[in-house]
C-alpha cells in the first residue's frame, strides 16, 4: 500500500468535485467563511429525511477535525447563512468532519489515499459506464488511476479518470482504512498534546479521524419563527 501523504497543501487548493443546485449556492457562501477561519470545505449536502438538514463537511488543512472545530465552524457560518438566506425554508445546520469513508474532492485527497479502495461516479459515461470501484493507484496530472475490481471480461483492469469529470468519489470502509485512520488520529492527538504542552494548556484527548459533528437542536427559520440553539 502506498504511504499516506501528510502534507495536504493549503486552504486555497480548489475542489475539483463540487455540488450542483442549491447545495452549490450554500457552498459558495460557506467556503470563504471556512477559508477565513482556517478550515477547508469538503462537501455540502442537503437532505430532508426529518425536515431539511444542511450538512457542511469540513476539515483543517492537515485533515483533522474535532468536535470543538465543528462547533467553531457552526458559530462562524450560522450568522452568514442567516443573512445570505440561500434556502427558502427552515433548516437544521449540521457541521461534521469527513469521517473515515470520506468524500474525495481535491487532487491532494486522491494523492493522500492512494492504496485504498474507492467508489467513483462520473458525470459523463466513460467506455459505456458511469460507476467505477477499485484500488486507487495514484494521480497522473488531474486524473486518478484506478485498478478496477468490477471490470467485465475483456475490459481493462486499469482506467484513468479525470477528477473534474467525477460527480462523486469516496473511500470504501475497509480494515486497512480503519487502521490507517486510527494511526493518523493518534499521531494528530500526540502532536496536539505536544503543542498544548508547549503553550502551557491542558491536554485535549478528543482528536481523531472518527466522524465528529455539531448539529443545531432546532431548525433555523430565517423568518424568525425559530431560534438557533447549539447542542
Amino acid at each position: 500500500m502506498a504511504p499516506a501523504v501528510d502534507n495536504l497543501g493549503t486552504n486555497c487548493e480548489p475542489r475539483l468535485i463540487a455540488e450542483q443546485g442549491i447545495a452549490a449556492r450554500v457552498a459558495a457562501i460557506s467556503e470563504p467563511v471556512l477559508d477565513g477561519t482556517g478550515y477547508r470545505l469538503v462537501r455540502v449536502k442537503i437532505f430532508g429525511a426529518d425536515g431539511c438538514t444542511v450538512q457542511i463537511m469540513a476539515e483543517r488543512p492537515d485533515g483533522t477535525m474535532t468536535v470543538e472545530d465543528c462547533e467553531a465552524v457552526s458559530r462562524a457560518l450560522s450568522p452568514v447563512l442567516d443573512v445570505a438566506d440561500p434556502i427558502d425554508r427552515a433548516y437544521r445546520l449540521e457541521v461534521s468532519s469527513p469521517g473515515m469513508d470520506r468524500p474525495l474532492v481535491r487532487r491532494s485527497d486522491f494523492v493522500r489515499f492512494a492504496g485504498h479502495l474507492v467508489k467513483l461516479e462520473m458525470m459523463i459515461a466513460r467506455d459505456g459506464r458511469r460507476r467505477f470501484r477499485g484500488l486507487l493507484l495514484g494521480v497522473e496530472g488531474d486524473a486518478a488511476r484506478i485498478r478496477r475490481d468490477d471490470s467485465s471480461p475483456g475490459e481493462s483492469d486499469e482506467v484513468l479518470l479525470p477528477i473534474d469529470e467525477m460527480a462523486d468519489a469516496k473511500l470504501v470502509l475497509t480494515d486497512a482504512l480503519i487502521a490507517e485512520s486510527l494511526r493518523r488520529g493518534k499521531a494528530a492527538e500526540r502532536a496536539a498534546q505536544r503543542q498544548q504542552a508547549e503553550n502551557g494548556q491542558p491536554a485535549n484527548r478528543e482528536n481523531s479521524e472518527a466522524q465528529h459533528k455539531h448539529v443545531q437542536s432546532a431548525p433555523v427559520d430565517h423568518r424568525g419563527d425559530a431560534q438557533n440553539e447549539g447542542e
Side-chain angles (χ1 to χ4, degrees), residues 88-130:
D88 61 359
R89 53 180 167 150
Y91 62 86
R92 182 177 62 172
L93 178 64
E94 175 183 305
V95 177
S96 74
S97 69
M100 291 185 186
D101 54 343
R102 57 169 294 148
L104 307 178
V105 296
R106 293 179 169 85
R107 184 183 185 278
S108 60
D109 294 337
F110 288 83
V111 174
R112 174 187 176 193
F113 290 103
H116 288 289
L117 195 63
V118 295
K119 293 194 298 186
L120 311 173
E121 182 175 351
M122 307 301 294
M123 290 185 286
I124 301 173
R126 296 183 65 87
D127 300 325
R129 64 188 300 160
R130 294 179 60 186

Side-chain angles (χ1 to χ4, degrees), residues 26-37:
V26 175
I29 296 167
S30 303
E31 195 153 20
V33 177
L34 288 166
D35 287 346
T37 52

